[in-house]
Structure formats: C-alpha cells, structure tokens
Amino acid sequence: AFSIEGEAGRDRIRCRDDGCGMTFEHARRYLFTLYASSKRHEKGVAGRFGIGFWSVLRFDPETISVRSRTAGGEGWEVMLDGSLDSATVASCVMLPGTEIVLERLAGEGAGEAEVMRVIRGDARFLRLRGDPERRLEVTVNGRPVSADFGLPPPSLEFRQPGLRGAVALSVEPGVEVFAHGLRVRRAAFLDELLTGGDRDRRSSAELPDGLVPRVLLDSDRLQVLMARGEAREDRVLRRLVGTARRELARLVRAELDRQAPQGRLARTLEWIATGARLRSVRWIGGTVAMGVLIGILFGIGLPYPEWSVPGVRRVEGQRGTSQSRPSASSVEIVRRPLRDVAAAYGGPTVDALDHLSAVDLAYRPVSAHPLFAVLRLTGLDATGGPQTGIADNDLVGYRGSPCVGECLEVEVRIAASSGVLRLPVASGHLIDPATVRLDGEPIAVRATPAGEPAVVLERETRGTLSYRSTPSRGVGTLQVGGWPRLPDAVARRADRLLALPVAQRVEEAEDSVRSWIVYDRSPATAARHDDAAMEGTPVFERALMIGAGDCDVQNALLAAVLDRAGVPSRLVIGFIGSDGRTRPGLHAWVEYLEDGGWQVADSSTTAGPVGPPEQPWTAAPETDIVAGSDEQVAADDASGAPSRVGGGGLRVAGVAALALALVVVVIGRVRWMRRGGWARRVTAPDDGADMARLLRGALLRPQAYTNVGALYSRPLVPTVDGRTLSLHRIQRFARGGRLYRSDRQSSVARDAARRGLPVIDASRDEGRCVADLLGARDLDAWDGLLDRSRSTGATRLVESAAARCGERWLVRVARGAPPTVAVHDGEPLGLARETRVAVVAEESRLWTAVETLDGRCGRAALLLATALVDELQIAPRARALVLADLARRTVQEQAR
C-alpha cells in the first residue's frame, strides 16, 4: 500500500507491505548493495546514482527511512538523508512486514497523480509469490490500483504453464511485457519487442477509426536486466513473441469468421496456409523431405531388381566422339549475302530456321552484343503462317533517329532481287536515315507497316549496305495484328497477368512458356510437329501437346500470351551479334512495349520443367525419354521394349524416410508438450467492431498485422459486380494504377466490372474505407460524360499528332465536366487500355481561349495540347514530340 500524507508543511510518502519482512543481514547483502551505488566522486561516469535509486530519488526526499521485521525476529530501521551521505541504524518496534518512508517539503516533486500513473503502468498486475493465481492488492491513499489481467473486447485471453496473455483489437496500439506481474518492456507492435521497443511515436498514436492489436504478456520465465529494468532479448522473449503472433492471428480469424463467414473447405485451406500450426507443418514437411534424401543416399549403390514403366520408351542417343565430330575451332563458317528473310520464313515450326544461312554482316564496336532484327511479326494466321508480303505502296516514310552517341556502325553484303529488302537493325535501335549507303551512294529508307526499315531495289542488286543506328525510345509505327486462338487454360493464365505491372507480366509469361514448351530441335521433335501440322492441328495446340519446340515456337506463344495480357508485342526473327559479326543461323525473340520503348524478352534462353500447373492440352499417349545430344538422336528402338530402371533403392529410401520422420515427430511432440502443449483460451467478441475499422487498421498500420495472413488473403472488399476481393489483391491493383470505385453503381462502373476490372463498391463502409485509403479512381463522374461530349477540329488535330508520336489520346469537350480537364484511362471506359481520355470543360477558360483560335486550328490545337500534356502526365520525350508536331503545323499554317 502506498500513501501520501501531509503534515506541518511536509509530505510523507509511505510504502508498506505487511506480508514480506527481512532481516538486517539480508537487507545489507541485497537491498543496500543495490541502492548504495553513489557515483558522485567517480570521474567520467554519467549520472549520480545507480539505477536502484532512481525510483526513490525521483520524489526528491530529504530523509529516507527503511524498516522491516520478520515474523519471529527483531525489528530494525535505517535512516538516510536525501544526499545519501550519512546513515543511522537502530532497532524499532513494528508489526511484521517492510515499510519505506520518504519525507520532503510539501508540494514538491511527484504527487498522488504521478504515483498512481507509475504504479498503474508498471505494477497493476502484481501477483502473490506463494499463490500466483491471486493478485497483490496495491493501493494509493486507500484507492485500489491493482487490476484483473485482461483487455476489453474484442479480445482473446490465453494461459500456458508459466505464461498468461491477452490480445485485443483497439484504437491504440501497444504491447506490454511483464515478468511476475511487473512491467519490463513495452512497444507499439510485437516486432518492435525484438528491435529495441517503441521508437516510432507515430506508430503508437491512436487510430480512432481503425482497429490495431493491443497485447499483454506476463511470463515467469523471462530474464530481467536489473541494470536497465527490462527483459533480456533471448530465446524466451522470442518464443513469447511467437506465441503472441499466433494468438493474434487466431483472434483476427475469429473476428473475420464472425463478420464475414466462409465455407468449411475455405476455412480448412486457410488454416493450412496461414493457421497457427503453419510452423509445425513446415517443420514436419522439411523433416520428411530430409528423411527421403537420407533414404536415397542409403539406397545408392545397393543391388536391386529392375522394374518397367508402362507407356514409356527410352530412345538411346549416340554422343559424338572426337573422331566423328569436329571441334568448334575447326569449323569454317561460310557467310553469304543478305536476302529478304520474309520470303524464306514460313512460320513457327521446329528446325525451320536452321536451313537459313549465315549472313555476311559486320558491326562496330565489336564489344556490343546486339540482336539484329530482320523480320517483325505482329500476328499469325490460323495455321501459324506469317503475313509478310509487302507492296511498294505499303511503305511509308521511315522516322529514324540521328546518331549522336553510342552509335552502332553496320556493314552488310546483299544479293537480293528487285523489290523490298528489310535491313537488319539492333533491337531497341533506330537507323539514322542520313547514313544509309549502298556501295557508297545514298539510298532512301522506307518503313514497312510493322515499322521495319527497308530499301526498295529497282533491279537485282549485289553490293554492300552501310549505315548507323542508335538506341532510341521511339515507338515508331504500330501495327495491330492478330494471333491464333489460345487454348482456354493458357488464356486464363494470360488474363490473370493483367493485374501485374508490365515487367512482372513479362517475367511470369516467360517462365510459363518455358515450363510448357521445352527447347528441343531434334529430328524426332521436328517430325512430330510436321505430323501435327499435316493433321491440321492449330499451331499453339500442337506446340503445347508436344511440349517441345525451338525458339520461334516458344516465342510465338510468348508474344500471343503477352498480347492477351495487354502488353503490345511482336515476334522478331533475326541474327545474334557477337565479336563484331553475326552467328550462323537465325534466332527468334519477342519485343514488347514498355515506358515508350521496345524491350526484349526470350523464353528460349533457359530450360524449365515440363508441364504447366493446369494442363491445357491432351498428353501424348507415349513419351520418348531422349538420352544424348539434341543434334544426334538415334532412331527408336526397333523392339519397342520398355526400359528397365531400378526400384530397390526407392524402397530402402521409403523405409528410411518413414523411420526418421517418426523419430522426429516423437521428439517434436515431447518438446511441444514441454513448451506448454494446448493453451487455455477465452474469447470475448464485440459487436461494435466492424470490418471497415479492421481493414482501416490493416492499411494504416500494416506492421501491426505482419503475421496475420488471413486479413490480407481472405476476400473481404466488396465490388460492384457482387464479388469480394482480398486486400492483398486490391493492393496489387492499386500499385498498378488499376483500382476504381463507385458510390452509386453507375452504368459505367457496372460495365467496367463486367469486363473484369476491380471496381470497389464504395456504398458499403468497408469498400469506402479501402477505396479512400488506396486512392481508387472514381467512375461515377464519368457516367454518361463521353456520351454527351463532342470533338472539334482542334481536338482531332491533337489526337492525330499524338497518334503520330505513338500515343493514344481521346480528346473531347463537354458541358459540365467536373474539373477544367477530366482525365481517365481508357480501359474502364470501354476503350483500349493504352488510350488516355481527356474531357475539357466547355465552361472553362481554357476552352474559351481555344474557341477564340478556332479559325487558326494549328494554334488552337497547340494551346490545347500544351495544357493536356501536363494533365495526362506523359513521358518528357512523348511530350516534346507531340508539341513539336503541332508547332510545325502552326508555323506552316501561318506561312500560308
């Protein structure tokens, strides 16, 4: 019991414990050793006293009296002055117990409120040492301070041997750790307990409209650092934090089940993926895997019988020897003049490219490793054939780039008939038209519909073409093609990529194609492709059915998948540059559009495992296991007998794995029981805790829910089409700038939702909360806006200038548009995904100024475009190109 008494201008602060007395020898050995640690006369030491006196000297006492008496002993008293310079020991008469009295001048230092605050924070959960289930009653001036261990609902209390804890969802985050009921550490979140406590005051601030975790932990096994009054960061504290994480996840799942219940199967899968026993599942799984590995090692080298695999034929290949196969250094590469590749390429099929000769091309600097494109395809017909025919009138002016730095100088010998000849140009480069020479004479460069640089030869020509190219972000001419229909499972995989950023979409598509089609150009694979083509099997279906192919088979599928996933792509045929020359044979890769420039992707660079997660084709009835090199594969075994492979080692491995797994499980069970086994839990729900507040806390304080996967993986956010999406998926859409909202379920919002776009239903509290915090774009203001908008000569001129520079703009003017210029992506409005829509308010000063210049259309369009490039936030290069194009038109208009 604490008491603060006033008497004759002095305060007397008294602390008394009637149940605990000690002898003077015990006090001198422990109590006064801790407290008599004056540093006054020590040089270079910070502070006046050790940590033991801080709780006493904070009251600024003039005298300190410590007295105590055991049940069967003599009473004693020690009197100290406030400076701790003198001490007097005497006997006293008192009841058994211990009492400490501090005296000071009245009204100085900490008062009742301060004592109450400190004790409520540090000692409100103290327990009796002999009876840990009973709390120690502490009072301040007769007012009780002790409290029952627990937190207000929604909360969960749990008990284990040596541990009691409580987790709750509250407006104020906080974690408090107690040792025997005395607080030794606090933090804002659980993870901060292992990183030095609450150092971020913003994180510990209240969240009035949200719910964040609040945790109490009281352990009898913590090691307390008396020098700093906190818990030691050791295995016990880490285990305590792990237990609290699991109980917090359990509480959140209980709240989710109460507010957004789901089926039994979904709950089971979630329990396996994110439940409290995830660590045990992983541990047991890793142990079994280790057992299998050890079993396999035991089985190596043991004699065992053979067994056959039905339906599998082994085709033995013959590897080349030094006598039958020349070394690479002894092969003489024959280089031939360049001819138009389009005439020889018949579409994706195995080994077709190998029949094309090496080209006599040289480049500088030789340290570069370019990919020279000679044919670009933006689509194939249904049978897989390319559409490469070009007439002279199909060509347009080539918009190259002047070579000012990092130039690539190219010389290529040609021998081509009259007509169009495509020029090899490095991917990501544009040719400088002013540098193109044929035998030293300038020759005009044109562009094919696919944007390829080409020259027109009036007759059969032999000679040397030379030119320079430079890296450029220019898109050039965009040609829209069409790819054969993708199988349903592949199409679904491509549709799921729409939610990812472009770079991640390309990476996922590359990995998927590698896993579906293994790089293989052996004669057996080529024959299977030819047979499937003769039977009329579509190009992608036969590639997936066979599961093997060369670079153009793989990358044609990659281009189609990326096109389906909203990434403009084209299949490129060309040569690989190395050491200043091109390698023999042709190669195929993919160019895709990102950030205003063409990038390279290639699924044939590495090999991957066979078979996608969901099989989109019918497996062949018989699989050849090919042994030997790709170039030298022998004919099928004439007998067709199944091969013989070993199985006794696997039996030994299985027995060893099972035995090891059983041993480890038994040991783990014993350790788990020593840790406390099953915990006793009491859950207190709260009807006032709604889903919106929980989602708000998860978004504003994600560090508080680091290990609560269910809150982010369970579908909780309502959308306009009646579905619910997970918070994790919603955040991915928001990072990609493709998250939308609707407060009144307008027609444009419903149309966007039917096309698969994420449109949050903001009429519900949880949807409104998530939409506000993640900045979802409102679609309601666009309901009917495009229908009542109109185009003018100035808007059409701006659209044309943008299109010539590789941009897709839709510019309109409408009465009643929300801001001066309303901007939106075209995808939710039913337009192409790359289209940017801008609607100018007819009442705005901008449009009034444009209308005054309507007779001079070029100046009006330039004024309008100058305002739009800032609103649309386009890239600086595209901005410059659009404005320069309109400026030229304005100058020409004034010159007339």
Side-chain angles (χ1 to χ4, degrees), residues 58 73 784:
R58 67 190 301 178

Side-chain angles (χ1 to χ4, degrees), residues 410-448:
V410 180
E411 274 192 3
V412 56
R413 190 162 58 95
I414 65 170
S417 58
S418 61
V420 178
L421 175 65
R422 296 170 174 86
L423 302 183
V425 58
S427 282
H429 280 223
L430 290 177
I431 289 178
D432 184 354
T435 63
V436 181
R437 300 286 189 273
L438 176 58
D439 291 335
E441 297 294 329
I443 184 171
V445 182
R446 309 297 298 278
T448 69

Side-chain angles (χ1 to χ4, degrees), residues 471-483:
S472 176
R473 303 293 293 175
V475 174
T477 304
L478 289 176
Q479 182 188 41
V480 179
W483 298 96

Side-chain angles (χ1 to χ4, degrees), residues 849-864:
V850 171
E851 281 189 320
T852 59
L853 299 173
D854 198 26
R856 290 165 289 179
C857 199
R859 289 188 62 187
L862 181 60
L863 175 62
L864 181 59

Side-chain angles (χ1 to χ4, degrees), residues 805-848:
C805 299
E807 295 286 329
R808 294 184 180 182
W809 294 2
L810 180 68
V811 185
R812 295 290 186 269
V813 59
R815 182 171 296 277
T820 301
V821 179
V823 177
H824 216 295
D825 298 331
E827 186 179 18
L829 304 178
L831 304 173
R833 184 173 180 181
E834 298 81 11
T835 303
R836 303 298 306 280
V837 182
V839 178
V840 183
E842 193 171 344
E843 307 86 354
S844 64
R845 295 174 58 186
L846 171 63
W847 188 250
T848 302

